[in-house]
Amino acid sequence: PLPPSTRAGWKPPFNEEAGGDGIPFDTKLQTVNRLQEGLHFEDGERYTRDSYRDMADAFKRKYLETHQRVADETERLRRENPGWSDDACEARALEEEFWRIVETDTEKIRVEYGSDLDADVYGSGFASVPVGSAAAAAGATPDSDSDEDGGVPHAWDFGELIRHPSNLLRVVGGDIPGLTRPWLYFGMMFSAFCWHVEDHYLGSINYMHAGAPKTWYGAPTHAADAFERAVREIIPGIFKDAPDLLHRLVTLVPPAVLGEGHGVPVCQTLQRAGEFVVTWPRAYHAGFSHGWNVGEAVNFGTADWVPMGRAAVNDYQHGVGKRDSIFSHEKMILDTAKAFVRRYGYGDESSREDQSLRAPWIARMADALRAELEIIEKEQRAGRAVVTSKGVKEVAGKENEASKHENEDENCALCKAMPHLAVVHCARCFEIAEKIEFEQAVARARAEGRSAAGAAWALQGGSSSERLRRMGRYHRRRRRNRPMFCLGHALDGNCGHGVAELVMTTNASMDELERVLGALRK
């Protein structure tokens, strides 16, 4: 048996301050009886951590008082299954009640779900632990990692998972909530997370900090295509109007219908407080809460995920229901490969450690990065050759005036990919859009009696406290008025200015790609 200190480490202590002290958060209003219809969720009320729990507890208490059949079904299950615990009987009865509501649509039930709350804003549910504790994160020190009470992160804190060397997402720029920063979730009875896969087909890890259980349903990775076909057959009319339905996280299809009617394997589990649920790349999952609870989740990507990440980008570009990429897959692979080569001495005979001393995951990571980078290098070489042969000018990223104000990657205007390594735009379109925006900003400023020079500065976001919000609007305007294209669609724009005006911005040279590849091959 494990020593007590080690056993305790498997169940991290709950930070009861998670959710913020009096900080309100938004909720999604879900009409449970219409979850099969793919309707957009309306905004619910705003709650604090404590007022949400009060509401959730009151809802469950009133519902059970007015729906005696739940108690009756619990009692029946208890009689017929003497080996089941009381909790298991109640959980099964609530599951049957949930699907009765969803499938029959005979009773209007509305609940509110506090989802997607940035843990950096509302606080993580993982409490800190004393310095030197067996449960403390590896390498945590009071100087660099302690909080105001002198504690350090727990080893299972998702912030530690994000920084793990085998997690490729640690090199993704942009600090993306839910992807590279954990999200917090406040649930109530019947609040649901609808069928979906993670962005870029990543894996996810979910921890239940406190409260009532969640029922989870999952379809394995190998059944993803069968799952999508089945859902399109079950609700064809909704898919006709919304081809990207499964990207919206607003639709539930009963697991029994998927399994019995369409042969899709569906498993389920009951997650209780103190338990983790891990979903693998492109594994569809859904579920609902049995009462008030607090959960936390974050994505991860290991070496095994890399081919699936490429498949996700391809599906975003060419599949039914296109959608924007969240980050540049090829940039992440290149950045990870460069960091990997530096850290583990690949390609440097003078600093390489003995291969036999390396952990097995390091060899798997090297193989995965090399295989993917070979594909990227081949695509970049062929694509750049095609566009330059047509007369498109090439400039290095830092020399490109058109992108001097950009601090984020752009999606291809046609296929939704986020190319990054080589992006094509029309210089004439950029020039015209810049001039129009400048003239409009100056005209508005003069009409309002403001400084024209100040308006021009504000166009770039200015230096006020509104900078980040304005920069968001500015980048949306840039995407709309200054379309960017990947190599595959470089010549497909219809602005009419001709190939002579096209410019290819390269953010990594072919020599750089070859150097990294060469190091990984040694």
Side-chain angles (χ1 to χ4, degrees):
L2 296 172
S5 61
T6 306
R7 290 203 303 270
W10 290 98
K11 188 175 182 180
F14 176 45
N15 171 25
E16 295 186 359
E17 300 301 314
D21 187 10
I23 305 174
F25 56 81
D26 296 324
T27 61
K28 295 183 178 71
L29 182 62
Q30 299 179 326
T31 304
V32 182
N33 51 296
R34 302 188 68 184
L35 285 177
Q36 292 190 98
E37 300 177 27
L39 302 176
H40 176 72
F41 296 145
E42 300 174 15
D43 292 332
E45 297 294 326
R46 287 170 61 83
Y47 295 92
T48 62
R49 175 190 63 220
D50 296 331
S51 65
Y52 182 86
R53 180 170 188 175
D54 290 342
M55 178 277 297
D57 288 345
F59 172 87
K60 182 173 183 177
R61 184 168 54 250
K62 182 178 180 180
Y63 190 93
L64 295 180
E65 288 173 354
T66 57
H67 294 75
Q68 180 61 33
R69 61 175 164 267
V70 179
D72 293 343
E73 179 63 10
T74 301
E75 181 58 32
R76 184 190 69 80
L77 290 167
R78 187 179 294 115
R79 288 195 311 270
E80 296 180 2
N81 301 277
W84 290 16
S85 67
D86 289 347
D87 288 345
C89 293
E90 180 184 349
R92 177 61 62 85
L94 281 177
E95 181 186 19
E96 293 176 2
E97 180 69 2
F98 176 78
W99 287 110
R100 181 195 68 80
I101 299 168
V102 173
E103 294 187 73
T104 63
D105 192 18
T106 57
E107 183 178 8
K108 185 176 182 179
I109 302 296
R110 308 188 88 182
V111 298
E112 294 168 301
Y113 186 22
S115 62
D116 304 344
L117 306 180
D118 189 345
D120 274 12
V121 176
Y122 291 95
S124 170
F126 291 98
S128 59
V129 295
V131 177
S133 165
T141 65
D143 294 333
S144 61
D145 301 289
S146 63
D147 58 20
E148 58 185 18
D149 297 321
V152 295
H154 192 280
W156 284 105
D157 190 306
F158 286 164
E160 299 303 306
L161 172 69
I162 292 167
R163 292 189 288 271
H164 193 277
S166 65
N167 183 14
L168 277 68
L169 294 186
R170 74 191 186 285
V171 304
V172 173
D175 205 18
I176 307 167
L179 193 80
T180 59
R181 293 210 309 268
W183 261 338
L184 205 62
Y185 295 85
F186 285 88
M188 62 183 290
M189 189 168 76
F190 300 147
S191 63
F193 50 105
C194 296
W195 287 112
H196 68 288
V197 293
E198 301 300 310
D199 291 331
H200 288 254
Y201 297 165
L202 288 159
S204 72
I205 183 167
N206 308 262
Y207 184 70
M208 175 77 77
H209 288 291
K214 284 182 183 178
T215 289
W216 286 72
Y217 304 97
T221 301
H222 69 79
D225 289 333
F227 175 92
E228 293 174 359
R229 286 194 301 269
V231 175
R232 291 191 179 95
E233 291 173 6
I234 295 167
I235 47 176
I238 301 176
F239 264 99
K240 182 178 180 181
D241 296 332
D244 63 343
L245 182 66
L246 289 174
H247 296 315
R248 300 183 183 185
L249 283 73
V250 294
T251 307
L252 276 183
V253 173
V257 175
L258 290 166
E260 298 170 10
H262 297 268
V264 178
V266 178
C267 60
Q268 75 176 81
T269 190
L270 188 68
Q271 181 190 27
R272 297 177 176 85
E275 295 179 345
F276 292 89
V277 170
V278 177
T279 69
W280 296 122
R282 208 188 174 201
Y284 275 94
H285 51 282
F288 70 95
S289 292
H290 292 221
W292 172 85
N293 55 33
V294 183
E296 192 165 343
V298 75
N299 290 123
F300 65 89
T302 63
D304 295 334
W305 161 81
V306 171
M308 197 64 73
R310 169 165 289 276
V313 174
N314 184 66
D315 286 349
Y316 292 169
Q317 293 177 257
H318 308 295
V320 177
K322 292 181 180 180
R323 57 156 289 178
D324 288 349
S325 295
I326 303 300
F327 59 87
S328 172
H329 177 82
E330 55 191 29
K331 177 179 184 294
M332 181 201 66
I333 294 297
L334 178 59
D335 288 350
T336 302
K338 290 193 292 187
F340 186 86
V341 166
R342 288 195 301 271
R343 179 164 185 164
Y344 296 105
Y346 275 80
D348 183 357
E349 295 296 336
S350 64
S351 64
R352 288 180 68 184
E353 56 187 277
D354 190 330
Q355 292 272 6
S356 64
L357 299 180
R358 291 175 174 160
W361 70 263
I362 295 178
R364 290 199 302 272
M365 179 73 78
D367 290 342
L369 291 173
R370 180 172 59 249
E372 187 66 12
L373 202 56
E374 285 174 346
I375 295 173
I376 292 172
E377 191 269 347
K378 183 178 179 180
E379 290 178 343
Q380 287 290 312
R381 185 175 299 282
R384 295 182 189 191
V386 169
V387 297
T388 54
S389 70
K390 300 294 184 181
V392 177
K393 297 184 290 292
E394 177 180 355
V395 296
K398 63 181 180 180
E399 302 170 5
N400 185 11
E401 185 69 14
S403 64
K404 69 177 182 179
H405 298 301
E406 289 294 337
N407 64 357
E408 62 184 14
D409 289 304
E410 297 287 355
N411 294 98
C412 174
L414 292 181
C415 73
K416 308 301 184 182
M418 191 178 283
H420 181 78
L421 297 186
V423 182
V424 178
H425 73 276
C426 173
R428 182 63 176 154
C429 284
F430 269 56
E431 180 183 334
I432 293 173
E434 195 79 33
K435 181 178 179 181
I436 291 174
E437 285 188 7
F438 179 83
E439 291 174 348
Q440 290 175 339
V442 170
R444 282 195 300 270
R446 288 174 175 166
E448 297 169 1
R450 296 185 288 109
S451 164
W457 174 239
L459 183 66
Q460 305 297 324
S463 57
S464 69
S465 60
E466 292 284 290
R467 177 176 174 80
L468 292 178
R469 184 167 61 84
R470 289 177 178 174
M471 284 300 287
R473 291 201 304 266
Y474 176 68
H475 286 303
R476 286 193 291 275
R477 286 200 305 271
R478 288 186 68 89
R479 285 192 284 270
R480 184 171 62 250
N481 300 327
R482 301 165 173 77
M484 312 284 279
F485 300 93
C486 67
L487 292 176
H489 294 104
L491 305 175
D492 296 337
N494 58 0
C495 65
H497 292 132
V499 174
E501 296 292 344
L502 295 181
V503 175
M504 178 177 67
T505 303
T506 57
N507 293 304
S509 69
M510 294 307 304
D511 286 344
E512 181 180 6
L513 292 175
E514 290 170 359
R515 282 197 302 273
V516 178
L517 257 179
L520 288 172
R521 286 170 178 153
K522 294 181 178 179

